[in-house]
Every structure is written in C-alpha cells, then in structure tokens.
Amino acid sequence: DAVLADNGMLYIAGHINAGGVINKSFILCVDENGFAYSGFGEDGYVIVEADEIRAMAMDAEGNIYIGGAEYYVNGSKYDVAIVQRYTIDGQLDTSFGDNGTSWIFEDDKSNYIYALEVDENNKVMVGGGVYYQKEGFSWDVPTPKVYRLNNDGNLDDSYGNNGGFQLDICEGNADTYAIEFQSDGKCLVLGWMDISTEGSFSTGTYIIRLTTDGEIDTSFGDNGLVLMEILQGDQCHNYSREFVVAHDDQIFGTLYTQDAANGNYRAYAYNLNPDG
C-alpha cells in the first residue's frame, strides 16, 4: 500500500519474501523527485518486525499507520492481525498500543488486515478477514470483519460489538480489500464474496456502508449492500480492489472480471451515487 503526504512525500509499505517465506516488512519514504528520503528511518526506509504488511494510512499530524499480521504468535498455530504507528521521521511510536503495536486477537482463529484508514477524529478503522471452519469446506475460509481503534491503539468498545463488526454476508468465502469514509463519517467497506449457486462457482464485488456506531446502514444500496456482478455464470468472477470517495460523496472504482472457463478478462471503471 502507499500514501502521498501533503508535502509531496510518498510512503510505501510492503513485505519482504526471503527464501520463499514472508518474514519481514518495510516502510519506504520517497521524496518528490523520486529518491529515498534520508530523513526517514535509516536512509529512507524502516524494517518492520512484522510478517505481513498490506495496508497503510496517515493521520492529520503525519503519523503513519500500517496494518497486517504476525504469524504464529507465541508458538500458536494462529496468525494475529496487527496495527503499528510510526512518527513522521520513521520511529515506532511506543505510546500506541503495546509499545507501538496494537494486537487484534480472535480466539483460536487467524485474522488479517488488508485495509486501513484514519477518520477525522484520529480513530483508526481497519478491515480484514477472520478465518472460520464453515459447512461444506474442509479448510478455514475468511469472513470480513472491521475494527475501530482509539488513537491510543486500543479497541473502541463503543463501536460494533466491543470494537469490531463482522460482515456475515454469505455462507462461503468473503474478504475485505479497502475502506473509505464519506463526508458524514460513515464507512464504506469494499471486498469480494462468494455468490455461487448449486452446480456453479462465482464471485462478486460488494460495498457495504456502516454507521459511525458500527452497524449496517440500510439506507445504502439494497438494505445496506451493493453487489456488483458484471459477469455472471459458472466460473465467472468480479473483483474490485480499490475505490475512492469524491468530494460530493460519489464512489469511483475499478473492477476486473474473469471468465475462468474461457480465460477471458475485462477491466471496467464504475461510478456509484452516494447512496449506492
């Protein structure tokens, strides 16, 4: 992921694959001329002690937030979602969470963060997936979930169910890709979901709007949900990984379709009204 600061600095976060194993992550700061900025971290970068970083955001003060997961914490067989905060010069902010890291545990389940945004009150909204055993599957499959953290890195108990809200939108696979805010503070969650029927396998892109209290806003789309299924039929898939909210709250994004049976791909841009 990446964020562009008001001063023209570009911050990029990702993970490092060494010998086929993802075991570290990084933040890189690039100046307006395209060079690593030596005033950030060590010669422009920070090595992060986290296995997988996939999401990034910045608050109004220039603090940098990253989200992802740490594998097999304390010898457990489960992976744990994490959020970290760094100062504008690349130092881990030890006043956030547990010495700089907020751990988001789900009892006996692996969970991951793929999306992260900071609202106007400096609360941190994160979205990802929690892996459950579901009927019809011999392996754990993801279910989307969003969490809201206070500015100190602790879960905001006033949001959803003790700080989190699970999107039980289908009986099969589903996950989160991106989060955005509209001007009233309501949160839009973007991802994909299994929309298979008997004898067929297909996926669609969803957008859900949540209230500031962590409930589904039923005034959006169809009872709170927009489902985009441009390509329909067996082995037809629809994925949107990113979207933006314009100044007038309209929603713009890109989506690609895959006809797996015939190997055909198409790309689209979409525009939704503020109400979905």
Side-chain angles (χ1 to χ4, degrees):
D1 204 357
V3 293
L4 182 64
D6 291 340
N7 62 2
M9 296 291 187
L10 177 65
Y11 297 86
I12 303 167
H15 47 265
I16 300 168
N17 187 305
V21 178
I22 299 172
N23 57 6
K24 286 191 184 298
S25 298
F26 68 88
I27 305 171
L28 172 68
C29 179
V30 179
D31 67 22
E32 63 272 20
N33 297 312
F35 296 97
Y37 173 57
S38 60
F40 180 81
E42 181 180 346
D43 295 327
Y45 68 91
V46 172
I47 297 297
V48 178
E49 293 299 328
D51 290 306
E52 177 182 311
I53 295 300
R54 293 188 178 271
M56 191 181 203
M58 180 176 286
D59 65 20
E61 285 75 45
N63 295 308
I64 301 161
Y65 298 79
I66 56 174
E70 184 75 11
Y71 301 156
Y72 310 124
V73 175
N74 297 328
S76 168
K77 65 179 181 178
Y78 301 104
D79 305 330
V80 179
I82 64 167
V83 177
Q84 292 183 333
R85 183 167 69 195
Y86 287 80
T87 63
I88 197 167
D89 59 356
Q91 303 300 312
L92 183 64
D93 184 352
T94 57
S95 68
F96 181 80
D98 181 8
N99 205 34
T101 302
S102 177
W103 301 84
I104 304 176
F105 290 95
E106 294 284 347
D107 293 339
D108 297 331
K109 300 174 184 65
S110 290
N111 63 329
Y112 306 86
I113 289 172
Y114 303 125
L116 190 156
E117 289 292 336
V118 182
D119 70 14
E120 60 183 10
N121 299 313
N122 276 342
K123 294 196 175 186
V124 185
M125 186 74 69
V126 296
V130 182
Y131 278 67
Y132 292 92
Q133 178 68 54
K134 292 186 176 181
E135 185 178 354
F137 293 87
S138 58
W139 59 90
D140 292 347
V141 297
T143 295
K145 189 167 184 177
V146 296
Y147 309 86
R148 189 168 72 189
L149 307 179
N150 292 315
N151 192 243
D152 61 3
N154 294 315
L155 283 171
D156 181 357
D157 291 340
S158 68
Y159 184 82
N161 183 14
N162 295 321
F165 184 81
Q166 187 163 299
L167 307 181
D168 294 312
I169 53 179
C170 71
E171 296 180 357
N173 291 303
D175 219 333
T176 305
Y177 278 145
I179 287 175
E180 288 287 345
F181 294 107
Q182 292 185 309
S183 60
D184 57 3
K186 292 179 180 179
C187 175
L188 299 173
V189 184
L190 168 75
W192 64 271
M193 60 183 288
D194 185 350
I195 53 175
S196 301
T197 57
E198 186 174 354
S200 71
F201 172 61
S202 58
T203 56
T205 282
Y206 74 82
I207 300 178
I208 285 179
R209 186 163 72 188
L210 304 178
T211 68
T212 55
D213 296 326
E215 299 177 347
I216 291 179
D217 180 3
T218 56
S219 67
F220 180 80
D222 181 8
N223 207 33
L225 172 72
V226 169
L227 179 61
M228 287 182 278
E229 190 185 1
I230 296 173
L231 190 66
Q232 300 181 16
D234 185 29
Q235 300 188 60
C236 290
H237 306 286
N238 302 262
Y239 294 107
S240 177
R241 295 182 180 272
E242 197 66 72
F243 67 156
V244 295
V245 176
H247 62 89
D248 58 357
D249 280 339
Q250 292 199 67
I251 303 160
F252 294 85
T254 56
L255 181 148
Y256 74 92
T257 62
Q258 176 191 13
D259 180 352
N262 300 305
N264 294 329
Y265 294 79
R266 295 289 184 272
Y268 298 86
Y270 60 85
N271 170 211
L272 303 179
N273 290 316
D275 62 0

